[in-house]
Amino acid sequence: MKNCLIIAEAGVNHNGNIDNAFRLIDAAVDAGVDYVKFQTFKAENLVSKKAKKADYQIENTGKADESQLEMLKNLELSHEQHELLIEYCKKKNINFFSTAFDLDSLDYLKEIGLKLVKIPSGEITNLPYLRKAAKLFNEVIISTGMAEMNEIKDAIHIFTQNGISLEKITVLHCTTEYPTPMQDVNLKAMLQIQKEFNTTIGYSDHTLGIEVPIAATALGAKVIEKHFTLDRNMEGPDHAASLEPHELKTMVSAIRNIEEAISGDGIKKPSPSEQKNIAIARKSIVAKKDIKTGDIFSEENITVKRPGNGVSPMKWDEVIGKTAIKDFEEDQLIEL
C-alpha cells in the first residue's frame, strides 16, 4: 500500500436505521476516506442469551437491564440493507467494507464479492472463524485488541497455513475500550508487531480525538481505522467513542499531511522550497567600514552580515590577514 489506507468505521452507529447509514456514507465521502466500514452479523450467532453487555455498552446505551443479544438485534443490517448500502457506495464512489462477526456472515461477505476481510479483535482466538476466513478471502486485516503477542502469532500462523501470504496480512494494533484512555494506548506495540511478524502494520483507534491516529501514521501505520458517527450524543454503544463528521474530515487531512511530511528520501539537504531562502537567511563576510586597496583584512575592518551570497563566514580564518585587492565600502561583500 503506497498511502495510508483510511477506514471510516460506521460500524453499528446507524442504530439499525438505513437512512442513518446512508448519511454516514455521505459523511465518509465528504471526509475523503478510502473505505466506509459496517458490521455484518446475526445476533443469535454472535452472542448467547446470557451474554452481558460490557460496562461501556451499559453506560453508552443507558440500558443496564438489556442483554447484549437484545442490543445487537436492534443493530443488525439485513442482506437487503447491505445491498442498498453497496449500491449507494458505488454511486458515491467509495469502497464498501464490512466486518463479519460469525461464520454465516463470512460466507455472505464472500458471496457479495468482498476480497478483503477485517478480523475483529474478539475473533482473534476463534479458530473455526479464522480458518474459514483464511479459506474464503485473499487478504485480511486483523485487529488485535485484548491480544497478546503469542495470540497474534497463532492467528497469523492459521492464515499462512491456509495460503494467505504475509504480504496480504495487515495487523492493526488496537485497545478494546471505548473510549480508550491515553495511558492504555501503548502505541509502541504497533512497532513491536511489525518487528516480530514482518507484516504490514496499522492502528485501529478508540481514543477520543484524532491525535493518536496521526501519531500512528507518523510511526509508519499503513492502515488507520476510526469509528465515526453523525452525532456523539446519539444513543448506542459506540457513539461516545466516535468522531463526528467534521472531526473525521480533519483527521483525514492531518493524516494526508503527515504522509507528505514523512515521504522524503531521508537525506538532509535543502528542499526545493527553501533554496531561494539560503542567500536571504545566511550571512557573508562584508566590510565593517570603508576599506582601501592594500589594507589588511582584520577583525577591525570586516564583519558578518546578511545576505549569504558572498564569501561564507566559514572562510573567516582564510580571509583574516589577506590583502584587499580593491576598495570596499561599508557593508559591501568582500571579494577575494
Side-chain angles (χ1 to χ4, degrees):
M1 302 173 193
K2 184 178 179 183
N3 296 317
C4 182
L5 190 74
I6 303 177
I7 301 170
E9 169 72 90
V12 294
N13 282 344
H14 47 72
N15 285 1
N17 183 306
I18 192 69
D19 289 330
N20 284 342
F22 289 146
R23 291 171 62 200
L24 284 164
I25 292 171
D26 288 338
V29 170
D30 184 58
V33 302
D34 299 294
Y35 283 83
V36 59
K37 188 169 84 67
F38 293 89
Q39 295 180 5
T40 303
F41 58 86
K42 287 292 182 185
E44 291 89 348
N45 295 339
L46 179 54
V47 296
S48 71
K49 296 175 182 177
K50 297 182 180 181
K52 297 180 180 179
K53 292 198 293 191
D55 290 344
Y56 79 87
Q57 292 173 334
I58 294 172
E59 183 177 346
N60 293 342
T61 61
K63 297 177 180 178
D65 56 345
E66 180 184 57
S67 70
Q68 194 175 157
L69 177 62
E70 290 170 327
M71 177 188 73
L72 290 174
K73 279 296 293 179
N74 294 324
L75 299 174
E76 281 183 13
L77 289 173
S78 68
H79 288 186
E80 181 184 39
Q81 288 173 320
H82 274 76
E83 289 159 18
L84 290 171
L85 295 178
I86 291 168
E87 284 303 311
Y88 195 70
C89 284
K90 288 179 181 176
K91 178 182 175 182
K92 292 291 183 175
N93 197 31
I94 189 171
N95 293 302
F96 173 88
F97 194 30
S98 190
T99 300
F101 284 82
D102 57 73
L103 298 179
D104 289 346
S105 295
L106 282 172
D107 281 325
Y108 177 67
L109 293 183
K110 176 67 175 181
E111 287 172 18
I112 60 177
L114 265 66
K115 306 294 184 188
L116 170 68
V117 71
K118 166 72 190 300
I119 309 300
S121 293
E123 308 305 323
I124 199 168
T125 57
N126 183 344
L127 176 59
Y129 174 97
L130 295 175
R131 189 176 284 153
K132 184 163 193 173
K135 291 177 179 178
L136 289 176
F137 296 93
N138 302 321
E139 189 171 356
V140 294
I141 297 176
I142 312 170
S143 270
T144 59
M146 306 170 290
E148 298 180 3
M149 293 294 279
N150 65 310
E151 293 172 326
I152 301 172
K153 181 180 180 180
D154 290 343
I156 291 173
H157 181 64
I158 291 166
F159 288 118
T160 55
Q161 262 192 330
N162 286 275
I164 300 180
S165 66
L166 278 178
E167 290 76 21
K168 296 293 184 180
I169 298 173
T170 299
V171 182
L172 306 186
H173 175 48
C174 178
T175 307
T176 305
E177 176 63 355
Y178 303 80
T180 298
M182 286 295 179
Q183 66 267 23
D184 287 352
V185 170
N186 190 20
L187 199 53
K188 291 179 182 178
M190 182 182 74
L191 302 179
Q192 185 61 29
I193 289 169
Q194 184 180 45
K195 181 179 178 182
E196 186 85 12
F197 304 117
N198 197 29
T199 62
T200 300
I201 53 168
Y203 178 63
S204 179
D205 185 49
H206 300 131
T207 63
L208 296 176
I210 65 174
E211 301 97 323
V212 183
I214 295 167
T217 304
L219 286 176
K222 297 301 181 185
V223 175
I224 293 293
E225 180 182 72
K226 182 73 173 180
H227 282 260
F228 77 111
T229 179
L230 299 172
D231 184 343
R232 250 194 310 273
N233 295 314
M234 291 174 71
E235 181 184 304
D238 295 340
H239 295 287
S242 301
L243 297 180
E244 292 186 344
H246 70 281
E247 296 169 314
L248 180 66
K249 192 171 186 177
T250 300
M251 185 195 79
V252 171
S253 177
I255 286 173
R256 297 307 181 211
N257 286 339
I258 290 297
E259 283 184 302
E260 292 252 16
I262 63 176
S263 65
D265 58 16
I267 299 170
K268 178 58 184 167
K269 58 184 183 295
S271 69
S273 65
E274 66 181 342
Q275 288 276 2
K276 63 184 182 298
N277 296 322
I278 293 175
I280 296 171
R282 290 187 174 181
K283 294 177 179 177
S284 302
I285 299 175
V286 303
K288 192 174 186 179
K289 58 184 180 179
D290 290 346
I291 299 174
K292 300 296 183 182
T293 302
D295 286 352
I296 304 299
F297 294 132
S298 69
E299 293 186 2
E300 301 302 316
N301 61 12
I302 61 171
T303 189
V304 173
K305 292 184 180 181
R306 290 177 177 176
N309 56 349
V311 176
S312 169
M314 294 300 286
K315 294 186 176 181
W316 180 265
D317 290 343
E318 297 176 32
V319 175
I320 293 292
K322 289 279 196 308
T323 302
I325 59 173
K326 56 180 278 189
D327 292 349
F328 295 95
E329 296 179 355
E330 182 182 352
D331 280 349
Q332 186 177 348
L333 293 171
I334 295 298
E335 299 173 29
L336 295 179

PDB file of all heavy atoms in Angstrom, residues 258-279:
ATOM      1  N   ILE A 258       0.672  14.404   7.140  1.00  0.00           N
ATOM      2  CA  ILE A 258       1.762  13.640   7.748  1.00  0.00           C
ATOM      3  C   ILE A 258       2.412  12.730   6.717  1.00  0.00           C
ATOM      4  O   ILE A 258       3.645  12.595   6.667  1.00  0.00           O
ATOM      5  CB  ILE A 258       1.257  12.825   8.949  1.00  0.00           C
ATOM      6  CG1 ILE A 258       0.887  13.755  10.121  1.00  0.00           C
ATOM      7  CG2 ILE A 258       2.293  11.801   9.400  1.00  0.00           C
ATOM      8  CD1 ILE A 258       2.049  14.538  10.685  1.00  0.00           C
ATOM      9  N   GLU A 259       1.601  12.109   5.875  1.00  0.00           N
ATOM     10  CA  GLU A 259       2.152  11.262   4.807  1.00  0.00           C
ATOM     11  C   GLU A 259       3.121  12.043   3.932  1.00  0.00           C
ATOM     12  O   GLU A 259       4.196  11.552   3.583  1.00  0.00           O
ATOM     13  CB  GLU A 259       1.015  10.724   3.935  1.00  0.00           C
ATOM     14  CG  GLU A 259       0.248   9.578   4.544  1.00  0.00           C
ATOM     15  CD  GLU A 259      -0.778   9.043   3.575  1.00  0.00           C
ATOM     16  OE1 GLU A 259      -1.642   9.810   3.124  1.00  0.00           O
ATOM     17  OE2 GLU A 259      -0.705   7.850   3.243  1.00  0.00           O
ATOM     18  N   GLU A 260       2.732  13.243   3.567  1.00  0.00           N
ATOM     19  CA  GLU A 260       3.607  14.098   2.748  1.00  0.00           C
ATOM     20  C   GLU A 260       4.891  14.420   3.505  1.00  0.00           C
ATOM     21  O   GLU A 260       5.992  14.402   2.948  1.00  0.00           O
ATOM     22  CB  GLU A 260       2.871  15.403   2.397  1.00  0.00           C
ATOM     23  CG  GLU A 260       1.697  15.209   1.468  1.00  0.00           C
ATOM     24  CD  GLU A 260       1.987  15.728   0.072  1.00  0.00           C
ATOM     25  OE1 GLU A 260       3.163  15.949  -0.263  1.00  0.00           O
ATOM     26  OE2 GLU A 260       1.016  15.906  -0.666  1.00  0.00           O
ATOM     27  N   ALA A 261       4.741  14.697   4.805  1.00  0.00           N
ATOM     28  CA  ALA A 261       5.883  15.134   5.604  1.00  0.00           C
ATOM     29  C   ALA A 261       6.925  14.030   5.784  1.00  0.00           C
ATOM     30  O   ALA A 261       8.118  14.324   5.945  1.00  0.00           O
ATOM     31  CB  ALA A 261       5.411  15.637   6.966  1.00  0.00           C
ATOM     32  N   ILE A 262       6.506  12.774   5.774  1.00  0.00           N
ATOM     33  CA  ILE A 262       7.449  11.674   6.003  1.00  0.00           C
ATOM     34  C   ILE A 262       7.812  10.951   4.705  1.00  0.00           C
ATOM     35  O   ILE A 262       8.425   9.886   4.729  1.00  0.00           O
ATOM     36  CB  ILE A 262       6.901  10.664   7.030  1.00  0.00           C
ATOM     37  CG1 ILE A 262       5.619   9.982   6.526  1.00  0.00           C
ATOM     38  CG2 ILE A 262       6.673  11.329   8.374  1.00  0.00           C
ATOM     39  CD1 ILE A 262       5.082   8.905   7.454  1.00  0.00           C
ATOM     40  N   SER A 263       7.437  11.539   3.568  1.00  0.00           N
ATOM     41  CA  SER A 263       7.629  10.851   2.291  1.00  0.00           C
ATOM     42  C   SER A 263       8.985  11.126   1.636  1.00  0.00           C
ATOM     43  O   SER A 263       9.263  10.622   0.562  1.00  0.00           O
ATOM     44  CB  SER A 263       6.524  11.262   1.311  1.00  0.00           C
ATOM     45  OG  SER A 263       6.626  12.641   0.986  1.00  0.00           O
ATOM     46  N   GLY A 264       9.835  11.920   2.263  1.00  0.00           N
ATOM     47  CA  GLY A 264      11.123  12.262   1.660  1.00  0.00           C
ATOM     48  C   GLY A 264      12.092  11.094   1.637  1.00  0.00           C
ATOM     49  O   GLY A 264      11.818  10.015   2.182  1.00  0.00           O
ATOM     50  N   ASP A 265      13.262  11.308   1.039  1.00  0.00           N
ATOM     51  CA  ASP A 265      14.257  10.240   0.915  1.00  0.00           C
ATOM     52  C   ASP A 265      15.129  10.084   2.150  1.00  0.00           C
ATOM     53  O   ASP A 265      15.978   9.191   2.228  1.00  0.00           O
ATOM     54  CB  ASP A 265      15.134  10.457  -0.320  1.00  0.00           C
ATOM     55  CG  ASP A 265      15.868  11.795  -0.296  1.00  0.00           C
ATOM     56  OD1 ASP A 265      15.948  12.426   0.774  1.00  0.00           O
ATOM     57  OD2 ASP A 265      16.370  12.205  -1.351  1.00  0.00           O
ATOM     58  N   GLY A 266      14.939  10.949   3.139  1.00  0.00           N
ATOM     59  CA  GLY A 266      15.693  10.834   4.380  1.00  0.00           C
ATOM     60  C   GLY A 266      17.067  11.465   4.333  1.00  0.00           C
ATOM     61  O   GLY A 266      17.785  11.471   5.338  1.00  0.00           O
ATOM     62  N   ILE A 267      17.461  11.991   3.191  1.00  0.00           N
ATOM     63  CA  ILE A 267      18.766  12.648   3.058  1.00  0.00           C
ATOM     64  C   ILE A 267      18.600  14.131   3.385  1.00  0.00           C
ATOM     65  O   ILE A 267      17.776  14.808   2.774  1.00  0.00           O
ATOM     66  CB  ILE A 267      19.337  12.479   1.633  1.00  0.00           C
ATOM     67  CG1 ILE A 267      19.533  10.996   1.327  1.00  0.00           C
ATOM     68  CG2 ILE A 267      20.643  13.243   1.483  1.00  0.00           C
ATOM     69  CD1 ILE A 267      19.869  10.705  -0.114  1.00  0.00           C
ATOM     70  N   LYS A 268      19.369  14.618   4.335  1.00  0.00           N
ATOM     71  CA  LYS A 268      19.258  16.017   4.739  1.00  0.00           C
ATOM     72  C   LYS A 268      19.946  16.903   3.709  1.00  0.00           C
ATOM     73  O   LYS A 268      21.173  16.844   3.525  1.00  0.00           O
ATOM     74  CB  LYS A 268      19.872  16.222   6.127  1.00  0.00           C
ATOM     75  CG  LYS A 268      19.836  17.667   6.602  1.00  0.00           C
ATOM     76  CD  LYS A 268      18.419  18.229   6.642  1.00  0.00           C
ATOM     77  CE  LYS A 268      18.431  19.696   7.028  1.00  0.00           C
ATOM     78  NZ  LYS A 268      17.132  20.340   6.782  1.00  0.00           N
ATOM     79  N   LYS A 269      19.155  17.689   3.036  1.00  0.00           N
ATOM     80  CA  LYS A 269      19.666  18.639   2.039  1.00  0.00           C
ATOM     81  C   LYS A 269      18.619  19.734   1.876  1.00  0.00           C
ATOM     82  O   LYS A 269      17.453  19.550   2.266  1.00  0.00           O
ATOM     83  CB  LYS A 269      19.913  17.942   0.700  1.00  0.00           C
ATOM     84  CG  LYS A 269      18.688  17.272   0.095  1.00  0.00           C
ATOM     85  CD  LYS A 269      19.053  16.534  -1.187  1.00  0.00           C
ATOM     86  CE  LYS A 269      17.829  15.905  -1.852  1.00  0.00           C
ATOM     87  NZ  LYS A 269      17.217  14.844  -1.045  1.00  0.00           N
ATOM     88  N   PRO A 270      18.989  20.896   1.306  1.00  0.00           N
ATOM     89  CA  PRO A 270      18.000  21.961   1.123  1.00  0.00           C
ATOM     90  C   PRO A 270      16.846  21.477   0.229  1.00  0.00           C
ATOM     91  O   PRO A 270      17.074  20.876  -0.821  1.00  0.00           O
ATOM     92  CB  PRO A 270      18.793  23.077   0.444  1.00  0.00           C
ATOM     93  CG  PRO A 270      20.206  22.825   0.818  1.00  0.00           C
ATOM     94  CD  PRO A 270      20.335  21.336   0.881  1.00  0.00           C
ATOM     95  N   SER A 271      15.626  21.707   0.676  1.00  0.00           N
ATOM     96  CA  SER A 271      14.460  21.323  -0.115  1.00  0.00           C
ATOM     97  C   SER A 271      14.245  22.343  -1.232  1.00  0.00           C
ATOM     98  O   SER A 271      14.735  23.480  -1.152  1.00  0.00           O
ATOM     99  CB  SER A 271      13.214  21.278   0.770  1.00  0.00           C
ATOM    100  OG  SER A 271      12.855  22.587   1.173  1.00  0.00           O
ATOM    101  N   PRO A 272      13.506  21.965  -2.263  1.00  0.00           N
ATOM    102  CA  PRO A 272      13.241  22.919  -3.344  1.00  0.00           C
ATOM    103  C   PRO A 272      12.630  24.228  -2.855  1.00  0.00           C
ATOM    104  O   PRO A 272      12.981  25.299  -3.347  1.00  0.00           O
ATOM    105  CB  PRO A 272      12.268  22.149  -4.242  1.00  0.00           C
ATOM    106  CG  PRO A 272      12.617  20.710  -4.023  1.00  0.00           C
ATOM    107  CD  PRO A 272      12.979  20.617  -2.571  1.00  0.00           C
ATOM    108  N   SER A 273      11.738  24.145  -1.864  1.00  0.00           N
ATOM    109  CA  SER A 273      11.062  25.368  -1.416  1.00  0.00           C
ATOM    110  C   SER A 273      11.965  26.298  -0.620  1.00  0.00           C
ATOM    111  O   SER A 273      11.714  27.495  -0.550  1.00  0.00           O
ATOM    112  CB  SER A 273       9.833  25.007  -0.571  1.00  0.00           C
ATOM    113  OG  SER A 273      10.219  24.362   0.631  1.00  0.00           O
ATOM    114  N   GLU A 274      13.037  25.765  -0.010  1.00  0.00           N
ATOM    115  CA  GLU A 274      13.891  26.621   0.815  1.00  0.00           C
ATOM    116  C   GLU A 274      15.148  27.102   0.107  1.00  0.00           C
ATOM    117  O   GLU A 274      15.882  27.942   0.633  1.00  0.00           O
ATOM    118  CB  GLU A 274      14.268  25.909   2.114  1.00  0.00           C
ATOM    119  CG  GLU A 274      15.152  24.698   1.944  1.00  0.00           C
ATOM    120  CD  GLU A 274      15.484  24.006   3.267  1.00  0.00           C
ATOM    121  OE1 GLU A 274      15.327  24.642   4.336  1.00  0.00           O
ATOM    122  OE2 GLU A 274      15.898  22.837   3.220  1.00  0.00           O
ATOM    123  N   GLN A 275      15.390  26.587  -1.112  1.00  0.00           N
ATOM    124  CA  GLN A 275      16.586  27.010  -1.851  1.00  0.00           C
ATOM    125  C   GLN A 275      16.664  28.527  -1.972  1.00  0.00           C
ATOM    126  O   GLN A 275      17.728  29.124  -1.793  1.00  0.00           O
ATOM    127  CB  GLN A 275      16.567  26.388  -3.256  1.00  0.00           C
ATOM    128  CG  GLN A 275      16.831  24.896  -3.295  1.00  0.00           C
ATOM    129  CD  GLN A 275      18.307  24.558  -3.298  1.00  0.00           C
ATOM    130  OE1 GLN A 275      19.153  25.448  -3.237  1.00  0.00           O
ATOM    131  NE2 GLN A 275      18.617  23.273  -3.357  1.00  0.00           N
ATOM    132  N   LYS A 276      15.522  29.134  -2.271  1.00  0.00           N
ATOM    133  CA  LYS A 276      15.502  30.575  -2.513  1.00  0.00           C
ATOM    134  C   LYS A 276      15.809  31.391  -1.263  1.00  0.00           C
ATOM    135  O   LYS A 276      16.095  32.589  -1.347  1.00  0.00           O
ATOM    136  CB  LYS A 276      14.127  30.986  -3.062  1.00  0.00           C
ATOM    137  CG  LYS A 276      12.976  30.747  -2.097  1.00  0.00           C
ATOM    138  CD  LYS A 276      11.639  31.087  -2.725  1.00  0.00           C
ATOM    139  CE  LYS A 276      10.480  30.902  -1.753  1.00  0.00           C
ATOM    140  NZ  LYS A 276      10.333  29.487  -1.279  1.00  0.00           N
ATOM    141  N   ASN A 277      15.741  30.766  -0.092  1.00  0.00           N
ATOM    142  CA  ASN A 277      15.938  31.500   1.155  1.00  0.00           C
ATOM    143  C   ASN A 277      17.364  31.420   1.689  1.00  0.00           C
ATOM    144  O   ASN A 277      17.687  32.067   2.684  1.00  0.00           O
ATOM    145  CB  ASN A 277      14.967  30.977   2.218  1.00  0.00           C
ATOM    146  CG  ASN A 277      13.518  31.226   1.838  1.00  0.00           C
ATOM    147  OD1 ASN A 277      13.204  32.280   1.274  1.00  0.00           O
ATOM    148  ND2 ASN A 277      12.654  30.274   2.127  1.00  0.00           N
ATOM    149  N   ILE A 278      18.202  30.616   1.022  1.00  0.00           N
ATOM    150  CA  ILE A 278      19.568  30.449   1.520  1.00  0.00           C
ATOM    151  C   ILE A 278      20.304  31.789   1.564  1.00  0.00           C
ATOM    152  O   ILE A 278      20.880  32.171   2.582  1.00  0.00           O
ATOM    153  CB  ILE A 278      20.342  29.425   0.659  1.00  0.00           C
ATOM    154  CG1 ILE A 278      19.738  28.025   0.849  1.00  0.00           C
ATOM    155  CG2 ILE A 278      21.824  29.427   1.041  1.00  0.00           C
ATOM    156  CD1 ILE A 278      20.356  26.964  -0.039  1.00  0.00           C
ATOM    157  N   ALA A 279      20.289  32.502   0.451  1.00  0.00           N
ATOM    158  CA  ALA A 279      21.014  33.776   0.400  1.00  0.00           C
ATOM    159  C   ALA A 279      20.418  34.813   1.343  1.00  0.00           C
ATOM    160  O   ALA A 279      21.128  35.678   1.874  1.00  0.00           O
ATOM    161  CB  ALA A 279      21.016  34.319  -1.027  1.00  0.00           C
TER     162      ALA A 279
END
